mmCIF file of all heavy atoms in Angstrom:
data_model
loop_
_atom_site.group_PDB
_atom_site.id
_atom_site.type_symbol
_atom_site.label_atom_id
_atom_site.label_comp_id
_atom_site.label_asym_id
_atom_site.label_seq_id
_atom_site.Cartn_x
_atom_site.Cartn_y
_atom_site.Cartn_z
ATOM 1 N N ALA A 1312 118.803 117.374 96.783
ATOM 2 C CA ALA A 1312 119.929 118.135 96.202
ATOM 3 C C ALA A 1312 121.283 118.062 96.930
ATOM 4 O O ALA A 1312 122.276 118.423 96.382
ATOM 5 C CB ALA A 1312 119.445 119.716 96.244
ATOM 6 N N ASP A 1313 121.129 117.607 98.161
ATOM 7 C CA ASP A 1313 122.328 117.498 98.916
ATOM 8 C C ASP A 1313 122.802 115.956 99.139
ATOM 9 O O ASP A 1313 123.443 115.690 100.080
ATOM 10 C CB ASP A 1313 122.346 118.150 100.185
ATOM 11 C CG ASP A 1313 121.118 117.775 101.137
ATOM 12 O OD1 ASP A 1313 120.371 116.899 100.708
ATOM 13 O OD2 ASP A 1313 120.977 118.469 102.133
ATOM 14 N N LEU A 1314 122.268 114.983 98.279
ATOM 15 C CA LEU A 1314 122.561 113.669 98.482
ATOM 16 C C LEU A 1314 123.694 113.340 97.477
ATOM 17 O O LEU A 1314 123.443 113.202 96.270
ATOM 18 C CB LEU A 1314 121.301 112.718 98.159
ATOM 19 C CG LEU A 1314 121.409 111.307 98.294
ATOM 20 C CD1 LEU A 1314 121.724 110.982 99.747
ATOM 21 C CD2 LEU A 1314 120.095 110.662 97.967
ATOM 22 N N GLY A 1315 124.828 113.167 98.074
ATOM 23 C CA GLY A 1315 126.132 112.903 97.261
ATOM 24 C C GLY A 1315 127.266 112.988 98.045
ATOM 25 O O GLY A 1315 127.358 112.742 99.219
ATOM 26 N N ALA A 1316 128.375 113.599 97.385
ATOM 27 C CA ALA A 1316 129.659 113.837 98.101
ATOM 28 C C ALA A 1316 130.211 115.107 97.631
ATOM 29 O O ALA A 1316 130.082 115.533 96.579
ATOM 30 C CB ALA A 1316 130.574 112.518 97.688
ATOM 31 N N GLU A 1317 131.121 115.741 98.612
ATOM 32 C CA GLU A 1317 131.925 116.859 98.174
ATOM 33 C C GLU A 1317 133.216 116.264 97.516
ATOM 34 O O GLU A 1317 133.621 115.240 97.724
ATOM 35 C CB GLU A 1317 132.269 117.484 99.413
ATOM 36 C CG GLU A 1317 131.277 118.243 100.179
ATOM 37 C CD GLU A 1317 131.548 119.087 101.368
ATOM 38 O OE1 GLU A 1317 132.516 118.711 102.057
ATOM 39 O OE2 GLU A 1317 131.182 120.270 101.562
ATOM 40 N N SER A 1318 133.720 117.102 96.711
ATOM 41 C CA SER A 1318 134.925 116.867 96.135
ATOM 42 C C SER A 1318 135.736 118.245 95.861
ATOM 43 O O SER A 1318 135.070 119.229 95.927
ATOM 44 C CB SER A 1318 134.857 116.162 94.694
ATOM 45 O OG SER A 1318 134.409 117.143 93.764
ATOM 46 N N PRO A 1319 137.009 118.191 95.536
ATOM 47 C CA PRO A 1319 137.759 119.442 95.348
ATOM 48 C C PRO A 1319 137.146 120.229 94.153
ATOM 49 O O PRO A 1319 137.259 121.356 93.948
ATOM 50 C CB PRO A 1319 139.090 119.000 95.081
ATOM 51 C CG PRO A 1319 139.342 117.616 95.871
ATOM 52 C CD PRO A 1319 137.886 116.994 95.752
ATOM 53 N N ASP A 1320 136.533 119.479 93.191
ATOM 54 C CA ASP A 1320 135.896 120.065 91.982
ATOM 55 C C ASP A 1320 134.456 120.449 92.096
ATOM 56 O O ASP A 1320 133.946 120.838 91.149
ATOM 57 C CB ASP A 1320 136.117 119.107 90.793
ATOM 58 C CG ASP A 1320 137.569 118.793 90.509
ATOM 59 O OD1 ASP A 1320 138.399 119.723 90.631
ATOM 60 O OD2 ASP A 1320 137.956 117.678 90.153
ATOM 61 N N GLY A 1321 133.975 120.244 93.410
ATOM 62 C CA GLY A 1321 132.526 120.480 93.635
ATOM 63 C C GLY A 1321 131.635 119.425 94.028
ATOM 64 O O GLY A 1321 132.214 118.246 94.286
ATOM 65 N N PHE A 1322 130.347 119.592 94.123
ATOM 66 C CA PHE A 1322 129.550 118.596 94.652
ATOM 67 C C PHE A 1322 129.283 117.474 93.612
ATOM 68 O O PHE A 1322 129.197 117.732 92.415
ATOM 69 C CB PHE A 1322 128.165 119.282 95.052
ATOM 70 C CG PHE A 1322 127.258 118.205 95.564
ATOM 71 C CD1 PHE A 1322 127.257 117.862 96.874
ATOM 72 C CD2 PHE A 1322 126.233 117.605 94.740
ATOM 73 C CE1 PHE A 1322 126.247 117.007 97.495
ATOM 74 C CE2 PHE A 1322 125.338 116.776 95.370
ATOM 75 C CZ PHE A 1322 125.421 116.270 96.697
ATOM 76 N N LEU A 1323 129.304 116.124 93.998
ATOM 77 C CA LEU A 1323 129.051 115.042 93.265
ATOM 78 C C LEU A 1323 127.671 114.443 93.637
ATOM 79 O O LEU A 1323 127.669 113.737 94.702
ATOM 80 C CB LEU A 1323 130.219 114.086 93.407
ATOM 81 C CG LEU A 1323 131.521 114.446 92.964
ATOM 82 C CD1 LEU A 1323 132.627 113.408 93.295
ATOM 83 C CD2 LEU A 1323 131.568 114.920 91.445
ATOM 84 N N PRO A 1324 126.636 114.558 92.906
ATOM 85 C CA PRO A 1324 125.446 113.732 93.162
ATOM 86 C C PRO A 1324 125.548 112.206 93.056
ATOM 87 O O PRO A 1324 126.561 111.718 92.552
ATOM 88 C CB PRO A 1324 124.413 114.233 92.074
ATOM 89 C CG PRO A 1324 125.382 114.746 90.819
ATOM 90 C CD PRO A 1324 126.650 115.154 91.536
ATOM 91 N N ILE A 1325 124.705 111.619 93.626
ATOM 92 C CA ILE A 1325 124.911 110.048 93.825
ATOM 93 C C ILE A 1325 124.861 109.364 92.507
ATOM 94 O O ILE A 1325 125.422 108.348 92.320
ATOM 95 C CB ILE A 1325 123.801 109.501 94.685
ATOM 96 C CG1 ILE A 1325 122.350 109.768 94.221
ATOM 97 C CG2 ILE A 1325 123.904 109.797 96.033
ATOM 98 C CD1 ILE A 1325 121.388 108.985 94.944
ATOM 99 N N GLU A 1326 124.291 109.974 91.437
ATOM 100 C CA GLU A 1326 124.425 109.537 90.051
ATOM 101 C C GLU A 1326 125.771 109.261 89.618
ATOM 102 O O GLU A 1326 126.225 108.347 89.088
ATOM 103 C CB GLU A 1326 123.623 110.297 89.016
ATOM 104 C CG GLU A 1326 122.132 110.350 89.085
ATOM 105 C CD GLU A 1326 121.543 111.244 90.271
ATOM 106 O OE1 GLU A 1326 122.307 111.849 90.907
ATOM 107 O OE2 GLU A 1326 120.374 111.453 90.105
ATOM 108 N N GLU A 1327 126.606 110.283 89.996
ATOM 109 C CA GLU A 1327 128.098 110.213 89.566
ATOM 110 C C GLU A 1327 128.906 109.203 90.359
ATOM 111 O O GLU A 1327 129.931 108.748 90.013
ATOM 112 C CB GLU A 1327 128.699 111.582 89.617
ATOM 113 C CG GLU A 1327 128.067 112.647 88.575
ATOM 114 C CD GLU A 1327 128.899 113.920 88.646
ATOM 115 O OE1 GLU A 1327 130.027 113.966 88.901
ATOM 116 O OE2 GLU A 1327 128.202 114.962 88.280
ATOM 117 N N LEU A 1328 128.263 108.985 91.529
ATOM 118 C CA LEU A 1328 128.943 108.020 92.467
ATOM 119 C C LEU A 1328 128.537 106.548 92.107
ATOM 120 O O LEU A 1328 129.056 105.630 92.640
ATOM 121 C CB LEU A 1328 128.717 108.256 93.855
ATOM 122 C CG LEU A 1328 129.043 109.723 94.332
ATOM 123 C CD1 LEU A 1328 128.650 109.907 95.763
ATOM 124 C CD2 LEU A 1328 130.431 109.862 94.324
ATOM 125 N N GLY A 1329 127.506 106.432 91.317
ATOM 126 C CA GLY A 1329 127.026 105.010 90.971
ATOM 127 C C GLY A 1329 126.171 104.397 91.950
ATOM 128 O O GLY A 1329 125.910 103.166 92.100
#
Side-chain angles (χ1 to χ4, degrees):
D1313 55 3
L1314 185 58
E1317 289 185 320
S1318 82
D1320 297 322
F1322 183 82
L1323 301 174
I1325 58 170
E1326 287 86 348
E1327 293 187 29
L1328 302 174

